[in-house]
Amino acid sequence: MAGTVRMYETGGPEVLRWEEYEVGQPGPGEVRIRHEAVGLNFADTYFRSGLYPSPLPAGMGVEAAGVIEAIGAGVPGFRVGDRVTYTGSPLGAYSTERVLPAQHLIGLPDAIPFETAAAMTMRGLTTAYLLRRIHPLRAGDTVLLHAAAGGVGLIFTQWAKVLGINVIGTVSSEEKAEVARAHGCDHVVIYTREDVAARVREITGGAGVPVVFDSIGETTYHASLNSLAKRGLLVCFGTASGPVPPIDAVQLAVHGSLFVTRPALADYIADPAERAELAGELFGHVAAGRIRVEVNQRYALADAVGAHRDLETGRSIGSSVFTL
């Protein structure tokens, strides 16, 4: 029997349940995958809490890596035994095996281990669109990145160095500051004891930064606005502390004709050609060693409750995965 994590109501980590189930065979356009590693992402907590609505009962998780065990009719480009990874699929990645639409799959190069893929597919593709699609950043630009020691943050800072972009990163502790620096963060601001916007102005000679990448949301929104240069762009790509406040258009003018966007990964990987291009660039950097993806926390799928508690209380550093 295969195992899976399901929820029958929304709420705290305690609503997650470990169950055995029959996987079944893939239908047209589908594949059955045996998972080797499963990604743990902060976005998973949004589905669990109900912030992101989903019909109940529901599975959990949208990212994993493994091997194709069976293929339904009408699935070109893949064979049984292929190594694959995916993100953005229907909920259900927290499982030992599953059936899912083949359209979500990305071929995984032999040079990239399954754990690495499960730890980076969502975070890496998120970083890819942030750095390569959102704003025409150039070598020598300086940006502000919140949660610089998080899973996206550690990939982002390394990729930024490849592109010649300077990163001011925020973290909550000296321990996380050391991690961020070790991965290429040029300036680290410990937001629990420093004024973020004031430090950004100090570092940039009063000008501010052209782009702020903010995955925190509610508690960092105003500091992000106050850190921007005139006509700067605030990229709100996550809400770890809660949704951003209602946007006051007049305040955007007062702060210097600012722009705000709320992008979603799904819109940047919906087109297969664009997804392949972003994934190819990501995998190339990782395979060549230009980007290191470190798995700092490993959990059993049956311990999804504990994993979510660690994630939400900030005990996690970098990437986490479920191992099978």
Side-chain angles (χ1 to χ4, degrees):
M1 293 284 285
T4 188
V5 174
R6 295 180 65 80
M7 61 179 183
Y8 293 83
E9 60 182 332
T10 57
E14 67 280 356
V15 304
L16 301 177
R17 301 185 190 180
W18 171 254
E19 300 178 346
E20 292 187 340
Y21 81 118
E22 290 285 350
V23 180
Q25 294 300 315
E30 296 180 331
V31 299
R32 188 178 78 240
I33 294 180
R34 182 186 77 252
H35 287 154
E36 297 288 343
V38 174
L40 173 62
N41 296 287
F42 207 93
D44 299 343
T45 70
Y46 301 158
F47 288 104
R48 192 209 67 227
S49 68
L51 179 63
Y52 289 174
S54 178
L56 296 173
M60 178 57 57
V62 296
E63 176 183 37
V67 177
I68 295 177
E69 291 204 316
I71 297 179
V75 178
F78 291 102
R79 297 179 298 176
V80 171
D82 280 355
R83 305 171 81 251
V84 293
T85 186
Y86 65 86
T87 188
S89 67
L91 292 174
Y94 285 20
S95 57
T96 57
E97 299 177 53
R98 73 177 298 195
V99 171
L100 80 162
Q103 68 189 53
H104 299 292
L105 299 182
I106 303 170
L108 183 63
D110 291 340
I112 298 177
F114 290 114
E115 279 195 9
T116 301
M120 76 166 188
T121 301
M122 175 179 280
R123 297 173 177 91
L125 289 175
T126 296
T127 301
Y129 86 75
L130 291 176
L131 281 171
R132 308 298 278 160
R133 294 292 188 272
I134 292 289
H135 185 82
L137 292 167
R138 298 170 295 181
D141 284 344
T142 298
V143 302
L144 173 63
L145 171 71
H146 290 292
V152 170
L154 297 183
I155 297 174
F156 184 105
T157 51
Q158 294 177 84
W159 201 331
K161 300 315 294 180
V162 172
L163 299 173
I165 297 166
N166 302 308
V167 178
I168 303 171
T170 72
V171 298
S172 61
S173 66
E174 185 56 46
E175 178 188 11
K176 291 186 176 182
E178 291 177 6
V179 172
R181 292 188 192 101
H183 287 77
C185 200
D186 299 278
H187 304 276
V188 180
V189 180
I190 302 178
Y191 67 82
T192 52
R193 65 186 192 214
E194 298 178 90
D195 183 314
V196 172
R199 282 286 291 126
V200 169
R201 295 289 173 183
E202 179 183 347
I203 293 167
T204 60
V209 293
V211 187
V212 174
F213 297 94
D214 190 339
S215 62
I216 305 301
E218 183 179 15
T219 60
T220 51
Y221 176 72
H222 292 293
S224 294
L225 287 183
N226 290 330
S227 298
L228 284 167
K230 291 185 184 300
R231 295 164 61 180
L233 171 65
L234 170 56
V235 183
C236 300
F237 70 100
T239 52
S241 69
V244 299
I247 295 173
D248 183 341
V250 173
Q251 285 302 308
L252 299 182
V254 170
H255 281 79
S257 301
L258 304 181
F259 298 86
V260 178
T261 185
R262 199 339 180 160
L265 173 60
D267 293 321
Y268 288 86
I269 61 174
D271 177 71
E274 184 168 30
R275 180 178 61 200
E277 182 179 350
L278 292 174
E281 189 170 354
L282 168 66
F283 293 164
H285 288 316
V286 174
R290 291 185 290 270
I291 293 175
R292 293 178 290 117
V293 179
E294 298 162 1
V295 178
N296 295 318
Q297 293 83 212
R298 293 175 175 82
Y299 302 90
L301 271 175
D303 190 27
V305 171
H308 274 229
R309 284 179 177 150
D310 286 352
L311 197 61
E312 290 185 305
T313 55
R315 287 195 286 268
S316 301
I317 296 177
S319 297
S320 305
V321 299
F322 294 103
T323 57
L324 292 91

